[in-house]
Each structure stands twice: as structure tokens, then as C-alpha cells.
Amino acid sequence: MSGEKPAQSMSMDERRVVWASSMGTVFEWYDFYLYGALAAILSKQFFSSLDPSAAFLAALLAFGAGFVVRPFGAIFFGRLGDMIGRKYTFLLTILIMGLSTFMVGILPSYASIGAAAPVMLIYLRLLQGFAMGGEYGGAATYVAEHAPHGKRGAYTSWIQTTATLGLLLSLVVVMGTRHLVGEAEFAEWGWRVPFILSILLLAVSVYIRLNLNESPVFLKMKADGKVSRSPVMESFGQWKNLRLVLVALFGLTAGQAVIWYAGHFYTLFFLTQALQVDEGTANWLLAIALLIATPFFVMFGALSDRVGRKPVIMLGFVLAAASYFHVFAELTQAANPALHAAQMRNQVRVVADPADCSFQINPIGEVKLISSCDIATHTLANHSVSYNREAAAAGTVAQIYVGQVVVESYNAQALSADKERDASTAFKAAVALALEQAGYPGKADPDQVNRPKVVALLTFLLVLVAMVYGPIAAMLVEMFPTRLRYTAMSLPYHIGNGWFGGLLPTLAFAIVAYRGDMYSGLWYPVCVIGVTLVVCLLFVKETKDVDIYADH
């Protein structure tokens, strides 16, 4: 006989479970995403020894470090959750997260303690990611196991809103603090305030979670003596369970993850770095889009209870893969029309010896750019200029063509420090002048930003996020048996979101820097979505009618 509760109106106890779990998770996402909202400032505070381009990339890599470690947290805390219970496990995760975030707020900068500062920052990011690895699986499992049959999509979709709401909360607190203290003070010390305030959110979150009861599904499993003694080995050492983990990763979470991070973080980085929109303006526009799009998470979660999880998610995959290049091109035209017009008028080319051009990602600043091609492409990347690269004869010094204007680069290898500095100054000035004469703006003109169109485009991208993310918690819970659920669902979720999704901004910007096309980074999410769509179509089974009490 099924142990599922029949579908009915949400009781007061169920409302309290959903509200309390969601609020705690919102605060934890707030902590985790503060770093993303402040990446540009943190690059100057903790990586100030590097040039601006390398410093921002280093900050993105530190941002990505928190994502890399999330699967390890998923295994560690998933095991605890399947053995000792859901409640106390995700109480522990929020303690680690909150304290790590608070510590970022009081961490000395590079100017104060040198190289120890970025090392400590990355260590705290690793702790945050480790804790987040145990948070999501616990919250989603806990809510789903309280939900009646036929309502799991609707109930767990509230958990799905928490990542977006946590980002929104971080943006609002950052923008509010920036407004109160002023831009200069915020860049100097005010950026610490949002991190320090997290200690208050931590206290509220711990109080909320201490007042929750354990999951009834887990208590029943414990009473029946069916608690797994080795959930990690059962999840990943038995093919029938490991196969489900792989299907969940490559058929659901990898594609969902790149859509989530493309809609939330890559758009923000694209606006501020590639399109040179003022950070405050970009944050406000994204915040408005987040407010508009958030209800769609619940709408698509509830829709999946009626038509199934798989059709809703697959439709989101198809729309995202088909629209990304067009939407980001429209975003350029709306946010920085002068840049778009300059790109249409002028073809910027780099003519260079192919052997002179390298994949010049330099996050630690130890490798100096010496070849004329690398110097030329690096300079154009700093100006947010897309370019085509053409091959020249071996040994040719690279040249930049801006329309009909030609600027010759230089090789730094044989130059003394003084001569190299002079050559660099002259070359950068010549490139800047050529770009200015061709109509390339140094910054996006605030008066020319088409705010309604930017918000509409951002909202569309976020609605795509809601389509794939709203139903996915319920689907992951339903894919795995109760005794392994916390562990087995957490790993594919956090590999997908931590690795495929969390590294999207870093990988996409690395591709852009190498290829020279400001849209080429979009090939990464589009290809991941394509693979996920095929695997989902062939191997993912519909789960909305699964009895989660059954040991399937």
C-alpha cells in the first residue's frame, strides 16, 4: 500500500515546513552569491597585484572555487543526512556557510597582508561551497518528503525560488549599502557590510531550523530499520543506483545548471564587463527582472504536477539553446547601442603569425605577455572589442586593423623594462585613439541604455531558468529511493550546478578572450544543453507519479 498522502490544500504544518526551509535556504544562497555580486570589487581588494583583466579573471576563478568543491560537500553531508536525518544535517551546513561568509567581511585585503589575503579568501570560498553541497539536497528532500502526492512539484518549487531570491537579496543589500555610504566609501570598506550582516541572517536561520521536526519519511524508514549503513557505497557502488546518478547529471542537472548561471550570473558579468554598463545600473536591472520572473518558478513547478516534469524541462532546454545568441546580441544593442553600432560599422582584425598567438589565460599573473599577438588581443579584450584573427607570415609582428586604421603591436621579449613600459604606453594609447575615432565607447552611456528592453530580455532568460529549475527538485527526489535520497540526488545536482554551471562565467570569458568574439562564450552553455537534451529524451523517465515512500 502506498505511504503517500493524497493531494489536498496545504496544512499549517506543511506551510511552516515550506516557509522555514525556504527562508533558511534563501539566507544560505544570499551568503554564497554575495561574492558574485561583488566580484569586480573583490578583484581589486584581493587581487590588486594583477592588471584589471587578469584580476577579474582571478576573482572569477575564486568565485568558481566554491562551485568546484560542492560535490564533495554533497557526498559528505548527503551521507550524514541519509544516516542521522535531514534536519540536523542542513542545520550544520548553514552554520558553516554563515560563519564563512562573516569571515569574508572581516578579512584583510591584499594591501594589508599581501598574498595571504587571496589564499584566505579562496579557503573561505571552499568552505562556503562545501556547506552549499549539503544544503540544497537536504532542503529539497525535506520539503518533498512532507508534500502530499500530486503536489510535490508545487511544494518543492518554493525551494527552487530560494536561489533566485538569495541572489536578489544579495543585490538589494549591496545596492542599498552602496547608496547609503557612497561609491568611494563602498569600494574602500562598505563592501564588507553585506558580508558582516550575514551573521544576523545566520542567527535567524538557526532559530528557524531548530524549531523544525524531522522528515516523516525518514522517521518511518528509521522505525522500519531500513536506514542505509553506507549510502555512499550504495549510491555509487551499485550500477542500478549509479546509472540513475549519471542519468540525472547528464540528462537533467548539467543543462539546467548552465541555463541557471547564464540567466543569473553570466548576464550580470556580460553587462558589466563586456558591455561596460555601470555596476549599479546592471544590478538594478537584474533585480527588477528577478522580481518579475520569480513567480514563474512556482508556476512551472505546479504545472509539472499536471503535465509531468520532463516535458516542462525539455521545453526549457530547447528554447534556451535556440535563443541564446539572438538574445545576447539584442542585449548588446539595448544596453550599449554605441558599441553595437561601432561593431557594425567597423571590422576589427588582428593579423598575426598563428604561432605568436596563445591561449593567454593568466589568472595568477606570473606569465608576462611577450608576443605581439598576445599583447594585441589582450589589449582589445580590455576594451571589450570583438575581432577576427587572420594569419600572417611567420615572424610577422601583429597588427590591429580598426576599419582602415592600422596599429602595429610589439614584441616584448627583447625589450628592457623601461623600453617595454614605453612601448606598452604608446601602443595602448594608439589602440584607444583608433577605437575612439571609430566610435567605440569607453563606457556604456547611461542615457542610451534601453532599460525596459534590457529588463525584458533578462526576464526572458530567467523564465527559461524557471522552466528547467522549477520542477527539477521534485524530479530528483522522485528518482531515488528514500534510504539513499539525500546522497544520491545531491551529487548529480552539485556536479551539474557546481562544475558545469558554476564555472560557466570563467570558461565563457576564457573562450571569449581566446576567440575574440564577445558571443563565442555562449557556445559552452549551448553545447552542454544540447547533450543534456539528447540524454533526457532517451534515458530520463517521467517521475511525477512515483511513490516516494516506496523503496524503489
Side-chain angles (χ1 to χ4, degrees), residues 60 68 76 85 108 136 138 152 192 200 242 303 315 333 340 362 367 375 424 431 474-475 518 524 541:
L60 283 183
V68 171
F76 179 81
Y136 175 82
R152 281 192 297 270
R192 297 180 180 276
L200 301 177
L242 178 59
L303 179 64
L315 180 59
Q333 190 170 357
H340 179 267
N362 179 26
V367 180
I375 291 169
S424 175
V431 172
M475 194 166 199
M518 67 191 303
Y524 170 70
K541 297 179 180 179

Side-chain angles (χ1 to χ4, degrees), residues 147-158:
H149 183 74
K151 291 290 186 72
R152 281 192 297 270
Y155 278 44
T156 57
S157 64
W158 290 97

Side-chain angles (χ1 to χ4, degrees), residues 156-452:
T156 57
S157 64
W158 290 97
I159 290 292
Q160 301 306 89
T161 68
T162 60
T164 295
L165 292 174
L167 174 58
L168 176 60
L169 180 61
S170 69
L171 292 176
V172 169
V173 173
V174 166
M175 290 184 292
T177 307
R178 190 190 298 266
H179 177 73
L180 288 174
V181 304
E183 288 294 330
E185 289 76 8
F186 186 82
E188 183 178 351
W189 60 267
W191 62 269
R192 297 180 180 276
V193 174
F195 289 98
I196 294 172
L197 285 177
S198 67
I199 200 72
L200 301 177
L201 300 180
L202 174 63
V204 173
S205 301
V206 170
Y207 174 79
I208 289 172
R209 293 192 171 184
L210 282 173
N211 285 280
L212 293 176
N213 296 316
E214 184 55 85
S215 158
V217 180
F218 180 83
L219 291 176
K220 182 178 184 301
M221 180 180 68
K222 188 175 181 179
D224 293 342
K226 295 182 179 180
V227 175
S228 174
R229 293 186 177 182
S230 183
V232 174
M233 287 301 299
E234 283 192 55
S235 296
F236 314 121
Q238 298 179 12
W239 172 244
K240 67 174 183 178
N241 295 322
L242 178 59
R243 180 184 179 279
L244 287 176
V245 170
L246 294 174
V247 168
L249 172 59
F250 293 106
L252 289 172
T253 61
Q256 165 263 302
V258 295
I259 292 174
W260 200 97
Y261 286 96
H264 288 78
F265 280 110
Y266 189 61
T267 51
L268 184 60
F269 295 150
F270 187 79
L271 284 170
T272 58
Q273 298 300 309
L275 303 185
Q276 298 295 305
V277 176
D278 171 73
E279 285 182 29
T281 300
N283 285 336
W284 275 115
L285 295 175
L286 180 59
I288 294 169
L290 288 169
L291 280 174
I292 297 170
T294 296
F296 285 91
F297 288 87
V298 179
M299 186 188 84
F300 287 120
L303 179 64
S304 74
D305 286 327
R306 297 194 294 274
V307 305
R309 324 289 186 211
K310 185 174 176 177
V312 178
I313 292 172
M314 286 187 63
L315 180 59
F317 288 157
V318 170
L319 291 175
S323 66
Y324 270 2
F325 282 96
H326 176 70
V327 170
F328 277 83
E330 289 294 313
L331 198 59
T332 300
Q333 190 170 357
N336 194 336
L339 176 61
H340 179 267
Q343 290 175 338
M344 294 298 100
R345 285 195 307 267
N346 305 281
Q347 181 184 20
V348 177
R349 296 177 294 141
V350 175
V351 180
D353 175 6
D356 207 25
C357 307
S358 65
F359 194 76
Q360 54 177 288
I361 299 305
N362 179 26
I364 58 176
E366 294 181 354
V367 180
K368 184 173 67 175
L369 299 175
I370 58 174
S371 75
S372 62
C373 179
D374 287 350
I375 291 169
T377 55
H378 183 78
T379 302
L380 289 175
N382 281 340
H383 284 279
S384 302
V385 175
S386 293
Y387 60 87
N388 295 321
R389 196 159 59 204
E390 298 178 5
T396 301
V397 176
Q399 293 179 319
I400 296 176
Y401 287 75
V402 183
Q404 300 302 314
V405 177
V406 182
V407 181
E408 187 168 278
S409 184
Y410 64 95
N411 286 306
Q413 188 170 12
L415 298 180
S416 65
D418 289 340
K419 289 185 177 180
E420 180 189 350
R421 183 170 57 252
D422 292 341
S424 175
T425 301
F427 174 68
K428 290 178 180 178
V431 172
L433 178 60
L435 293 174
E436 181 183 354
Q437 291 174 342
Y440 281 87
K443 296 283 186 181
D445 183 351
D447 295 330
Q448 296 299 314
V449 177
N450 187 338
R451 289 171 173 79

Side-chain angles (χ1 to χ4, degrees), residues 439-493:
Y440 281 87
K443 296 283 186 181
D445 183 351
D447 295 330
Q448 296 299 314
V449 177
N450 187 338
R451 289 171 173 79
K453 185 175 180 180
V454 172
V455 170
L457 292 168
L458 295 177
T459 301
F460 172 77
L461 293 172
L462 292 169
V463 169
L464 295 181
V465 173
M467 291 185 73
V468 299
Y469 199 57
I472 207 167
M475 194 166 199
L476 290 173
V477 167
E478 293 158 350
M479 287 181 72
F480 299 102
T482 304
R483 59 191 282 112
L484 311 173
R485 183 167 293 138
Y486 200 148
T487 302
M489 74 163 282
S490 292
L491 188 65
Y493 176 83

